[in-house]
């Protein structure tokens, strides 16, 4: 039996005016499911963004929010506890950062009672994740080069999403698939049809005239997509 699929919209506050993040989130009028927080250290990526204090402030202001923290940082062992303590609901870490430690770090996140995501940058293969997929609550497919918002989507990301979706059903996995970078109203449905469950949108939302309405239009664009009952 087919049921309507519910998609997760995750606006990225990297796309908001850094001088008024709180009012930018307010301008979404709650029309979001996850708040995507892009953490950058100036080493793993050539940019800085914000740190645990931002997560803490958002947790204080939006007590029940699902804070989806995407760590684009090298010093994971030092900072994972800081983001966990700050109130992250989910922490996604890049498979490219010391891959030999990936299992242990994903397990550490789980032990803290937090959802664990694994991220692949555009040049990294889905195949390289094969042995951590059983540990992942989420696989984040970066559809732009990590480090900044407002870039154009890299088309091969759809193929990776389709492969992850196929692997998920073939192996009976439960991870969600998230695409992150260059997602907007015009390509959201292609992402959804490729098997994406959660869509990150930064500049498209916050540069729009009415961010809340932009999210509503995106949700509308994804309506009437069905999945077999029991699938994600
Ligand atoms: C880039 C970030 C993305 C980005 C998305 O490193 O991970 O989340 O902020 O922004 P847009 O939607 O503007 O590409
Ligand atoms: Zn991100």
């Amino acid at each position: 039996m087919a049921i309507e699929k519910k998609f997760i919209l995750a606006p990225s506050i990297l796309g908001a005016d850094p001088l008024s993040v709180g009012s930018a989130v307010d301008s979404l009028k709650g029309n979001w499911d996850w708040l995507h927080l892009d953490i950058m250290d100036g080493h793993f990526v050539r940019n800085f963004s914000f740190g645990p204090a931002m997560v803490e402030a958002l947790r204080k202001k939006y007590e029940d929010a699902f804070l989806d923290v995407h760590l684009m940082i090298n010093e994971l062992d030092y900072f994972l506890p800081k983001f966990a303590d700050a109130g992250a609901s989910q922490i996604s870490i890049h498979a490219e950062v010391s891959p030999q430690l990936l299992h242990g770090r994903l397990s550490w996140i789980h032990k803290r009672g937090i959802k664990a995501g694994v991220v692949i940058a555009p040049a990294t293969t889905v195949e390289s994740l094969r042995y951590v997929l059983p540990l992942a609550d989420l696989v984040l497919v970066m559809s732009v080069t990590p480090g900044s918002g407002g870039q154009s989507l890299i088309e091969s990301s759809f193929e990776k999403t389709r492969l992850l979706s196929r692997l998920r059903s073939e192996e009976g996995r439960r991870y969600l698939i998230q695409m992150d970078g260059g997602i907007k109203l015009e390509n959201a449905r292609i992402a959804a049809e490729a098997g994406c469950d959660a869509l990150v949108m930064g500049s498209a939302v916050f540069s729009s005239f009415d961010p809340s309405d932009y999210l509503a239009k995106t949700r509308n664009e994804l309506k009437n997509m069905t999945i077999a009952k029991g699938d994600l």
Side-chain angles (χ1 to χ4, degrees):
M1 180 186 115
I3 53 169
E4 176 153 3
K5 179 165 180 176
K6 290 263 158 282
F7 290 92
I8 296 161
L9 297 187
S12 161
I13 65 166
L14 190 75
D17 173 353
L19 290 179
S20 47
V21 169
S23 42
V25 176
D26 290 343
S27 74
L28 303 176
K29 299 185 186 123
N31 200 358
W32 44 277
D33 303 297
W34 296 355
L35 214 43
H36 187 81
L37 311 177
D38 288 305
I39 310 297
M40 300 179 183
D41 66 355
H43 292 277
F44 178 69
V45 290
R46 297 284 172 265
N47 197 359
F48 291 91
S49 59
F50 36 79
M54 176 67 83
V55 178
E56 208 167 332
L58 288 165
R59 173 57 68 217
K60 210 159 137 212
K61 180 166 185 182
Y62 307 101
E63 260 173 64
D64 305 330
F66 189 95
L67 302 181
D68 170 30
V69 176
H70 172 191
L71 294 183
M72 288 166 272
I73 68 172
N74 280 332
E75 292 305 321
L76 285 171
D77 296 333
Y78 178 78
F79 282 108
L80 274 172
K82 307 272 184 214
F83 285 99
D85 295 345
S89 312
Q90 175 166 264
I91 299 178
S92 297
I93 59 178
H94 271 261
E96 299 89 3
V97 179
S98 335
Q100 74 280 12
L101 303 177
L102 200 44
H103 277 77
R105 286 171 169 159
L106 293 172
S107 311
W108 186 93
I109 296 169
H110 277 142
K111 280 194 205 99
R112 281 297 304 259
I114 295 170
K115 294 280 185 194
V118 59
V119 193
I120 44 175
T124 305
T125 63
V126 168
E127 181 50 37
S128 66
L129 292 180
R130 176 167 288 278
Y131 299 106
V132 288
L133 289 177
L135 276 175
D137 296 304
L138 176 92
V139 178
L140 191 168
V141 175
M142 285 286 330
S143 29
V144 294
T145 297
S148 63
Q151 302 174 65
S152 308
L153 179 138
I154 297 169
E155 292 291 322
S156 54
S157 315
F158 292 125
E159 178 198 322
K160 292 164 95 168
T161 297
R162 276 190 284 274
L163 177 52
L164 279 163
S165 180
R166 207 183 68 235
L167 271 177
R168 176 168 65 187
S169 21
E170 283 168 5
E171 299 182 3
R173 301 285 177 220
R174 301 298 295 163
Y175 52 82
L176 292 174
I177 303 168
Q178 183 177 45
M179 284 183 76
D180 179 2
I183 299 285
K184 52 191 177 189
L185 203 47
E186 294 76 10
N187 59 29
R189 194 161 181 103
I190 307 169
E193 284 163 351
C196 186
D197 308 295
L199 294 93
V200 175
M201 292 187 286
S203 48
V205 169
F206 290 107
S207 64
S208 72
F209 173 72
D210 178 343
S212 171
D213 182 52
Y214 192 92
L215 289 171
K217 285 194 174 74
T218 307
R219 224 180 275 285
N220 203 37
E221 184 62 24
L222 301 174
K223 268 183 117 42
N224 311 325
M225 289 189 72
T226 56
I227 46 168
K229 194 163 171 40
D231 279 356
L232 275 168

